[in-house]
Amino acid sequence: MERKEFRELTSVEDARELVDNIRVQPGITVLPIEKAAGHIIAEDILSGLDVPAFNRSVKDGYAVRAKDTYQASEPEPINLKVTGSIPAGCEDSFFVDDGEAIEISTGAPIPDGADAVVMVESTKQTDDSLFVYQPVHINENIMRAGNDIMKGERILRKNTRIGSREIGVLASVGMDKVPVKELVVGIISTGSELIRPGEKLGISKIYDANSYAIAAGIEECGGNPLIYGIVHDDEKLMEETLDRAITECDIVLTSGSTSAGAGDIMYMIIEEKGETLTHGIAIKPGKPVVIGMINNVPTIGLPGNPTSALSIFNEFVAPIIHNSLGVKPSFKTKMTATMGTGIRSGGREELFPVGVVRGRVYPADKTSGAITTLSDADGIIEIRAHTEYIEPGSEVEVTMFGNVRSPDLMLVGGQCPGIDLLEEMTGLMFRTLNTGSSAGFTAISSGTADIACVNMVDADGNYNSSVLKRMNLEDVVLVKGYRREQGLIFKPDNHVYGLEDILKLQIINRNRGSGTRALLDREIGLLAEAKGVSKSEIIKSLKGYNSGSKTHRSVCDAVKSGKADVGFGLRAAAEEAGLEFIPVAEDEFDFVIRKDLMEISEIKDFLEVLRSEDFAKRLPQGISTHETTGSIISSF
Ligand code: AMP
Ligand code: MG
């Protein structure tokens, strides 16, 4: 096979037109109604019976002849004789004559002779004597047979997506099975580096995210995913699996191996076995996509990168599935939102992953290659070619990834178990980006964050407000958080007695920009001073100083697994991990909040919980509140 260069890239518009013309004929299968949710109804469903099947009462009360009640009024009730009682489900027959009434329950059959039901609230019964205080007209409080659904009536239309409502309708006409469309979409994930989730991750391996994300996407569209699993980058294996999938599926998707790099051969295999309709679409992420046809089976090679694969799936595969099934996407996939910050683009048509928080859009991590992009993004926006910048405040349309709930508050900065507790206690959904305090300050100044979570110490040992001053931040307040014990974390058998001991051990440090790392730096400075040596010399000799764990928990993991002898972090984290802890310092963990948000309910709830006694009580060991916790300590 001959490797080929990317030819002219297909424009997004042309690619859309191309997929709009691809349709496959789905099969039909009959499913029990318990399993039918999410599938597409294959033919019109007609009712085989009347619903209700008999005249029934819609109220608790008395079955009567309406004309007997016409003279009834509040001051002058009329009097009827009660001759019996009919509960729901009753199969006995009854008759109501002039001057008579029969007690009746909601859902019970109307007795012969009666033509109305008086609500129990309009009556008073003593023994078999009934006073009626309000007249009823003929048919009042009666649902006639077939009133809800008539026999032969179409109750569900072909091509409807089955949800709870549809299942209810089917069950209420007595159907326990339903014919649905069956469109089998196969997924083959290629890559010798892939490992099935749940199995042990070896060196230089990554978990296969695409098989499962794409399968869920297929289900959301109403299709039937068929996962072929992982296929290594081996031409023969790839060909064999593809051959099998082509005979078994209506549509085949592959992921990975579509670029023009060494070892990327999927596009060549598709080309050889069938016809390539396009290779390479002028968008980002996900340029290397192949759309082909093998034996009349649409075969689409998705890029390997999970964000790209999902974007391309949503953009170019979902329409094929929808069109083939004859459905429109049912859930609200698009929403209009406002740019929270500006986005710079390369001037090329781009599908840009974004997060959406309370209708505000901000860019998700731009480096396509990180799985965090996928987990932090709620959807994508389409940036047109030649657009170089989208202004903050401008309106954009976001195509959501499936039916996602977007978070209520965006917190950026330092990581802390206290934040998890705040999320639990407020009942809000947070998006927390653990980027460290420095990035928290940056995010609040650029307007990306609603709240920056910060624990940044300066050379004089002051926390947070000095940084805000130095950064000239405006229109924000600093809200007091709590103090946390920070110190050395190690396994019980490691002999650590104080900060000085880290000089001879392998350490695990936090990421640059983390407040905890800055605190360790400061403590090392103090130690250097006490010893009369230079701080930089100590740092240079520290083994592992340049490491950069992103969370307290991952520091503990490194210590537990023996990758490092000692780490620096929270007592709370050490205790949770069952590790030893020696306190070195206390830090101040505070919250910077945008002033314009102080009145929104989400922030009010956040502050209310932060100030509460219950929150103070539930904080883990080594974290404690102040008198001022939850109040504004400075305003900028
Ligand atoms: P490829 O298109 O094969 O060059 O893959 C592009 C990137 O996506 C590489 O970093 C792959 O390791 C990664 N990747 C490929 N397939 C998957 C998958 N199924 N799940 C997660 N990552 C993948
Ligand atoms: Mg690959």
Side-chain angles (χ1 to χ4, degrees):
M1 276 193 285
E2 197 182 315
R3 174 108 53 88
K4 109 180 104 182
E5 294 302 310
F6 265 113
R7 295 164 296 194
E8 279 278 283
L9 296 176
T10 309
S11 74
V12 171
E13 230 164 279
D14 289 349
R16 284 206 177 115
E17 203 180 309
L18 175 74
V19 298
D20 265 347
N21 289 319
I22 301 178
R23 275 190 187 38
V24 288
Q25 184 64 41
I28 295 183
T29 180
V30 174
L31 288 181
I33 56 171
E34 298 92 319
K35 297 249 158 70
H39 290 271
I40 311 299
I41 296 178
E43 52 200 50
D44 284 354
I45 308 281
L46 311 182
S47 175
L49 69 157
D50 282 337
V51 179
F54 55 92
N55 299 339
R56 65 208 275 251
S57 176
V58 294
K59 289 277 162 56
D60 288 330
Y62 295 87
V64 297
R65 295 187 168 188
K67 68 176 175 48
D68 284 351
T69 69
Y70 290 164
Q71 302 306 320
S73 69
E74 203 59 49
E76 284 182 64
I78 54 108
N79 186 239
L80 300 173
K81 183 170 187 264
V82 180
T83 61
S85 171
I86 312 176
C90 179
E91 292 180 16
D92 301 339
S93 53
F94 292 85
F95 184 77
V96 173
D97 213 336
D98 282 348
E100 289 181 355
I102 292 182
E103 193 183 357
I104 192 165
S105 305
T106 305
I110 302 295
D112 289 340
D115 57 14
V117 170
V118 190
M119 283 196 296
V120 70
E121 292 87 339
S122 317
T123 65
K124 197 164 162 190
Q125 184 183 355
T126 3
D127 299 328
D128 63 353
S129 166
L130 181 76
F131 286 98
V132 177
Y133 294 88
Q134 256 181 8
V136 283
H137 57 75
I138 289 178
N139 282 340
E140 190 159 343
N141 298 324
I142 291 178
M143 183 185 264
R144 293 268 154 204
N147 203 323
D148 206 1
I149 300 167
M150 295 258 274
K151 183 171 174 185
E153 190 179 321
R154 180 175 66 195
I155 47 167
L156 294 173
R157 204 183 267 275
K158 178 178 167 172
N159 294 349
T160 306
R161 189 187 306 269
I162 302 176
S164 50
R165 201 189 73 84
E166 286 70 25
I167 303 257
V169 170
L170 289 166
S172 64
V173 301
M175 292 183 70
D176 64 344
K177 296 186 191 68
V178 56
V180 298
K181 295 194 180 180
E182 187 174 48
L183 189 78
V184 180
V185 185
I187 317 152
I188 304 168
S189 285
T190 71
S192 302
E193 75 280 29
L194 301 178
I195 297 284
R196 204 177 173 291
E199 283 170 17
K200 196 171 172 328
L201 199 63
I203 295 164
S204 64
K205 304 283 190 204
I206 60 166
Y207 284 119
D208 169 21
N210 292 344
S211 293
Y212 307 94
I214 301 295
I218 293 165
E219 264 184 1
E220 281 172 358
C221 294
N224 305 65
L226 183 56
I227 294 179
Y228 283 86
I230 297 159
V231 177
H232 284 198
D233 293 310
D234 172 300
E235 191 180 329
K236 195 156 159 279
L237 283 177
M238 281 159 95
E239 284 198 27
E240 276 170 15
T241 315
L242 192 59
D243 281 340
R244 193 150 62 84
I246 293 295
T247 60
E248 293 171 349
C249 303
D250 300 307
I251 298 173
V252 174
L253 309 179
T254 67
S255 93
S257 190
T258 53
S259 321
D264 289 338
I265 46 175
M266 187 48 92
Y267 68 93
M268 291 190 245
I269 297 179
I270 293 176
E271 169 91 37
E272 254 188 19
K273 292 191 177 294
E275 181 196 358
T276 303
L277 304 177
T278 179
H279 179 201
I281 300 177
I283 51 166
K284 213 178 80 177
K287 182 181 67 165
V289 51
V290 189
I291 301 178
M293 201 59 97
I294 306 177
N295 293 347
N296 275 328
V297 176
T299 306
I300 294 122
L302 302 170
N305 172 270
T307 310
S308 305
L310 206 52
S311 304
I312 295 294
F313 173 85
N314 285 329
E315 209 57 44
F316 300 109
V317 182
I320 301 179
I321 301 178
H322 286 141
N323 284 337
S324 300
L325 290 171
V327 289
K328 295 220 159 37
S330 76
F331 43 80
K332 195 173 158 212
T333 49
K334 288 188 195 280
M335 64 179 278
T336 310
T338 311
M339 292 303 302
T341 61
I343 289 186
R344 221 161 266 294
S345 151
R348 161 163 82 145
E349 174 112 20
E350 230 174 317
L351 297 177
F352 198 104
V354 294
V356 183
V357 181
R358 296 191 321 280
R360 281 173 61 238
V361 175
Y362 64 88
D365 189 358
K366 209 176 164 176
T367 49
S368 60
I371 182 82
T372 51
T373 317
L374 182 64
S375 52
D376 285 334
D378 299 307
I380 50 160
I381 58 171
E382 194 176 325
I383 302 181
R384 307 222 158 270
H386 311 301
T387 303
E388 257 145 40
Y389 186 63
I390 304 182
E391 302 267 348
S394 51
E395 284 213 331
V396 288
E397 192 180 56
V398 185
T399 305
M400 304 297 278
F401 288 144
N403 210 358
V404 296
R405 172 183 170 193
S406 73
D408 304 307
L409 282 178
M410 169 85 169
L411 284 73
V412 182
Q415 184 247 338
C416 179
I419 297 176
D420 300 338
L421 183 60
L422 282 163
E423 181 168 23
E424 186 196 319
M425 290 181 66
T426 53
L428 296 171
M429 181 173 162
F430 291 174
R431 164 152 300 139
T432 9
L433 301 186
N434 297 325
T435 49
S437 293
S438 297
F441 285 113
T442 315
I444 198 97
S445 89
S446 69
T448 323
D450 298 324
I451 303 181
C453 312
V454 293
N455 58 315
M456 191 52 89
V457 65
D458 69 10
D460 303 324
N462 296 320
Y463 273 90
N464 303 324
S465 66
S466 60
V467 183
L468 286 170
K469 274 191 208 114
R470 184 155 37 82
M471 287 183 75
N472 268 332
L473 267 184
E474 278 176 13
D475 303 321
V476 297
V477 292
L478 183 63
V479 169
K480 188 75 228 152
Y482 37 75
R483 62 170 178 273
R484 314 182 302 173
E485 262 186 279
Q486 298 259 30
L488 303 170
I489 298 172
F490 49 95
K491 274 204 264 200
D493 49 354
N494 272 350
H495 299 285
V496 178
Y497 306 99
L499 188 62
E500 215 176 321
D501 294 327
I502 68 170
L503 301 182
K504 36 185 212 286
L505 295 170
Q506 178 76 32
I507 73 161
I508 172 82
N509 204 350
R510 287 290 307 281
N511 55 312
R512 269 170 223 286
S514 131
T516 300
R517 182 172 173 129
L519 179 60
L520 177 62
D521 279 352
R522 186 178 138 74
E523 293 300 325
I524 292 172
L526 296 175
L527 178 71
E529 237 176 80
K531 288 176 67 112
V533 294
S534 89
K535 178 178 168 186
S536 58
E537 219 158 285
I538 293 194
I539 284 179
K540 232 189 274 165
S541 70
L542 264 183
K543 278 181 285 179
Y545 177 84
N546 285 323
S547 54
S549 258
K550 272 175 87 174
T551 62
H552 290 274
R553 207 167 269 151
S554 56
V555 165
C556 293
D557 282 348
V559 171
K560 249 184 156 166
S561 69
K563 252 196 232 157
D565 304 316
V566 60
F568 187 76
L570 293 176
R571 175 194 285 275
E575 291 195 350
E576 191 194 80
L579 293 166
E580 296 287 306
F581 179 82
I582 291 181
V584 173
E586 279 193 330
D587 74 357
E588 293 293 334
F589 196 86
D590 299 327
F591 303 99
V592 187
I593 305 180
R594 298 200 348 239
K595 261 187 196 159
D596 60 329
L597 297 180
M598 289 304 282
E599 289 305 314
I600 69 169
S601 66
E602 289 85 352
I603 294 286
K604 283 184 170 167
D605 292 351
F606 179 91
L607 293 175
E608 193 180 313
V609 169
L610 183 60
R611 289 183 203 119
S612 71
E613 244 172 72
D614 205 21
F615 173 71
K617 263 193 234 142
R618 289 180 57 183
L619 279 168
Q621 277 290 318
I623 304 183
S624 47
T625 52
H626 300 273
E627 277 283 290
T628 50
T629 292
S631 53
I632 297 174
I633 50 172
S634 42
S635 179
F636 298 84

